[in-house]
Amino acid sequence: MFFPVLMMCSLLNAALPFDLGQSTRCVSIPPEMSVCHDVGYSEMRLPNFLGHTSLENEVIPKSEDWRPLLQTGCHPQARTFVCSLIAPVCLDTFIQPCRSMCVAVRDSCAPLLACQGQAWPEALDCERFPAEEDTCLSPVSKETAHFYKVMPKPTCQGCPAVEEAFAYKSVLDAFCQNDFAVKVKVTRRRFPSEEPEFEIEGRVEFISQGQLLPYDTHSLLQQWMLINESCGQRLTRIGRSLLYVLAGDVQADGTVSVKRIFQWHKRDTQLTLAVRKWRHHKC
Ligand SMILES: *[C@@H]1O[C@H](CO)[C@@H](O)[C@H](O)[C@H]1NC(C)=O
C-alpha cells in the first residue's frame, strides 16, 4: 500500500476513556497474531485497549475475528486502526486512534460488516476515542482520503447468476451495456488460514477497461469476492481454477457492481468469438 502508515503528531498524554488499571507491560507481538504483523512496530502493550490481558486466551484468538474484515481491504487504515487497539504500540504513553480515524474506518467498513451479517462492534464506538487530533493516531490526509473515496471499490451486492450457455451476440450486448468487462481466473483454497479463502489467480485481463484502474483491479475484484461470501462460494471450487468474464459498472461515487458473470469453459467458442469481435464492435 502506498498510503502513509502512522502519522503521530505529538505524544502528549491523552485522557483515556478505557480503564487500563495500574500496571501494563510490553511484549513482542506474537507470531500467531499475523493480522498485526505489518503494522510497523514489534512490541505491544498488555492489557490492550479492549482490556485483554492474556495473549493465549484472549488477544491471539480474538485477533482472528478481525481477519475476514481486514481481508476485504475496506479502508486503507483499517489494519492500523484495529491493531492500535488490539496490539497498541508500546511507547511511554498510550496512543489511541483519533475519533476521526475511527469514523473514517467505520464509514467504509461497517457496510461490509453488515454484508457479512454483523454490526459494528460496541467496543469500537467512535465516541470513545479522543477528538483532539494531536494526541492520537490521525487519519490519512484529506487529499489521500479524497483519492481513496473516488477510487473504484467493491460494494455489498447480491451475486449475479453464473451464465453458462449463451450466444456471442448476447455477450457483445452485455459488454455494450456495462462499463467494464474482464477475464479472471479464480480458485478456492482448501485450507484458508492467513490467506483469503477465495483468490483471483494471476493477472486480470481487460476486455473493456471502462473506469477501472489497471493496477488496482486485481485487488478490487479479490475484495468483491470476499465482501459477500456467497459470491466467492458461487464462483469457486476447492483446488480448481475456473475462468470467468465479469461485466459491470462503476457508479459516480466509485462503487463497482458486477452485473453479469459468464463462465469460460475450456472449449468455449462463443466467448472467444465475442472477445475477438468486440475490438471492432459498434454498440
Ligand atoms: C449476497 O449474495 C446473495 C446471493 O446473490 C444474496 O442473496 C444476498 O442478499 C447477498 N447479501 C447481501 C447482504 O446483499
Side-chain angles (χ1 to χ4, degrees), residues 216-249:
D216 185 54
T217 300
H218 184 280
S219 66
L220 180 147
L221 293 173
Q222 173 86 42
Q223 289 165 20
W224 174 78
M225 282 206 300
L226 295 168
I227 289 173
N228 183 342
E229 287 185 338
S230 47
C231 299
Q233 261 148 19
R234 194 171 279 190
L235 293 184
T236 57
R237 303 284 175 272
I238 290 176
R240 276 183 63 192
S241 301
L242 299 177
L243 279 173
Y244 296 95
V245 169
L246 312 180
D249 281 332

Side-chain angles (χ1 to χ4, degrees), residues 38-199:
D38 297 323
V39 284
Y41 52 89
S42 56
E43 294 230 304
M44 58 172 280
R45 199 174 273 283
L46 275 183
N48 65 16
F49 283 132
L50 301 185
H52 303 150
T53 50
S54 158
L55 280 182
E56 275 83 53
N57 300 328
E58 293 176 290
V59 178
I60 295 171
K62 295 235 161 85
S63 73
E64 283 301 307
D65 296 347
W66 294 99
R67 187 184 300 286
L69 182 71
L70 295 179
Q71 280 176 343
T72 66
C74 54
H75 189 275
Q77 286 185 305
R79 191 177 301 273
T80 302
F81 173 70
V82 165
C83 290
S84 73
L85 298 170
I86 65 177
V89 61
C90 210
L91 297 172
D92 47 13
T93 185
F94 295 101
I95 315 267
Q96 294 182 69
C98 298
R99 190 176 302 166
S100 51
M101 181 198 255
C102 178
V103 167
V105 173
R106 183 196 61 196
D107 288 354
S108 289
C109 296
L112 305 198
L113 268 185
C115 200
Q116 297 169 352
Q118 293 175 49
W120 184 250
E122 219 158 277
L124 304 190
D125 178 2
C126 294
E127 294 303 310
R128 301 175 68 175
F129 299 105
E132 312 82 52
E133 308 281 45
D134 60 348
T135 58
C136 47
L137 286 179
S138 12
V140 290
S141 68
K142 282 216 166 64
E143 292 73 31
T144 313
H146 178 74
F147 175 70
Y148 176 70
K149 230 183 179 136
V150 297
M151 254 173 75
K153 52 188 152 312
T155 178
C156 182
Q157 64 165 111
C159 322
V162 174
E163 301 173 52
E164 301 207 44
F166 39 77
Y168 78 88
K169 284 199 170 134
S170 65
V171 179
L172 284 174
D173 287 344
F175 290 173
C176 285
Q177 285 153 12
N178 286 282
D179 178 53
F180 65 83
V182 293
K183 183 178 177 185
V184 294
K185 191 197 256 188
V186 299
T187 191
R188 188 187 308 182
R189 289 193 167 81
R190 195 178 300 273
F191 305 108
S193 55
E194 293 185 15
E195 300 294 331
E197 180 173 12
F198 311 118
E199 188 196 14

